[in-house]
Amino acid sequence: MKNKRLAVRTVILLVLAGALAYTLYSNFFKDKQIVGIGDQAPNFVLTDLNGNEVEFADYRGKGVFLNFWGTWCKPCEREMPYMENQYNVYKDQGVEILAVNVGEPELSVKNFVERKGLTFPVVIDKDLEVLEAYGVNPLPTTFLVDKEGKIIDIITGQLTEEMIKNHMERIKP
């Protein structure tokens, strides 16, 4: 009886030690690629709502308003019409908007985009890898990327139309 208890306790202790080791490894030793102002924006390839691959590196030479959002996020929803208005003003001036949805089903995102009448590129980060690479928290978060691919600012929270216009001016090539 004592031997059985000792074996069970040993197994439980080993499982707990393994969980602790994994937690420490993932939080302290794992190489996390989180970017900041002045860093090169990490490249990524995601699929748009038409099934086409979109590579971030293809935007080099243009200013990019890189917006992370979700359909359930009310501040995200409120800023989308402003983004659309400014996209129509700046798209011919070398400034692009790329909206990265954070892991929602394609149908939900398509319905949202159609309902809001959005014409700028929207991609879905299904595995949340881009979200993690950029260290995004909370939503919405917008990265302003210059024509050389360098992050010049990171804005968290809802933007007004005037703020979006001013940010577009900052990244205009």
Side-chain angles (χ1 to χ4, degrees), residues 38-155:
D39 293 341
Q40 279 297 120
N43 190 34
F44 58 84
V45 178
L46 293 173
T47 304
D48 69 13
L49 298 178
N50 297 318
N52 303 312
E53 284 192 345
V54 175
E55 185 169 1
F56 189 69
D58 292 343
Y59 286 87
R60 188 64 62 97
K62 297 180 177 188
V64 182
F65 187 92
L66 180 62
N67 179 262
F68 289 83
W69 68 285
T71 61
W72 48 266
C73 165
K74 292 301 176 191
C76 302
E77 184 175 2
R78 287 190 292 268
E79 73 182 6
M80 286 292 174
Y82 307 145
M83 289 169 52
E84 178 65 25
N85 293 343
Q86 295 307 311
Y87 175 70
N88 290 322
V89 171
Y90 285 93
K91 67 182 177 184
D92 295 328
Q93 298 179 45
V95 177
E96 285 288 338
I97 289 180
L98 183 58
V100 179
N101 176 272
V102 292
E104 293 184 86
E106 188 175 327
L107 183 61
S108 299
V109 177
K110 275 185 179 178
N111 288 341
F112 181 92
V113 167
E114 288 173 10
R115 192 172 69 250
K116 295 291 180 184
L118 306 177
T119 60
F120 50 79
V122 174
V123 294
I124 301 175
D125 184 14
K126 291 181 181 171
D127 298 324
L128 305 179
E129 291 174 358
V130 179
L131 179 91
E132 289 177 18
Y134 277 79
V136 173
N137 187 27
L139 293 181
T141 294
T142 302
F143 291 78
L144 302 181
V145 183
D146 70 11
K147 66 181 181 178
E148 281 88 32
K150 187 167 53 168
I151 297 169
I152 64 164
D153 206 351
I154 303 169
I155 303 107

